[in-house]
Amino acid sequence: MNRKLLVYFLVAGVLALIFFMFKDVFDQPGIEDMKAGFKEIAKYRNANNTGPVQRIYIVSVKDSLWKEMEDYGNLMPHTKYGNTKVYFFMQNGNIPKTLRPGEVNFDPAFNKACIALYEKSAMSQVVFNKHPY
């Protein structure tokens, strides 16, 4: 009788462990759980798949929650030896609608409206700047 009870508790414990592992895997926080109200306005990705991949995003926010902006940047796609930039603008502010590759990614007339810049470099180094211009 003790052996059956031990097997029962062992099986129940393993099933509980499997349940919590699956729950953690499928219940990860995402962009929709954040309070800043992120909305992607424009994005650019170069077509060069043999060299460095450049990804650039313009995102509007309802509130300047700095930690959430950095977390948002960390959730964006990144390619090894590529570069990812995310420019953040206030939702009701002056926001560029188009992007271009290179060092200057949008019309400099919008610089003052940019409240933050997240950048992940080719070596996966992250820089998050408040009011970069």
Side-chain angles (χ1 to χ4, degrees), residues 1 19 37-38 40-41 45 48 58 73 75 86 91-92 94 96-97 99 101 103-105 107-108 112 116-117 131:
M1 173 94 168
F19 169 77
F38 297 101
E40 191 175 289
I41 305 299
R45 184 199 186 278
N48 187 2
I58 292 178
L75 291 172
V86 183
Q91 186 177 37
N92 296 328
N94 199 9
K97 305 289 189 248
L99 287 165
E103 290 298 314
V104 179
N105 302 123
D107 186 340
K112 290 237 181 235
L117 168 61
H131 307 290

Side-chain angles (χ1 to χ4, degrees), residues 48-118:
N48 187 2
N49 288 325
T50 59
V53 174
Q54 185 178 21
R55 289 183 170 91
I56 309 165
Y57 300 88
I58 292 178
V59 177
S60 69
V61 294
K62 290 190 284 187
D63 195 0
S64 58
L65 301 171
W66 306 116
K67 177 66 174 128
E68 281 199 1
M69 286 186 227
E70 188 170 0
D71 290 345
Y72 181 92
N74 288 328
L75 291 172
M76 298 308 283
H78 180 73
T79 305
K80 187 176 181 181
Y81 304 119
N83 186 297
T84 301
K85 291 181 184 178
V86 183
Y87 294 96
F88 295 96
F89 293 83
M90 292 305 292
Q91 186 177 37
N92 296 328
N94 199 9
I95 304 173
K97 305 289 189 248
T98 58
L99 287 165
R100 59 182 174 253
E103 290 298 314
V104 179
N105 302 123
F106 52 84
D107 186 340
F110 295 100
N111 284 358
K112 290 237 181 235
C114 181
I115 61 168
L117 168 61
Y118 171 96

Side-chain angles (χ1 to χ4, degrees), residues 1-11:
M1 173 94 168
N2 280 342
R3 184 176 256 173
K4 283 185 178 181
L5 192 58
L6 180 63
V7 170
Y8 172 75
F9 281 119
L10 187 61
V11 169

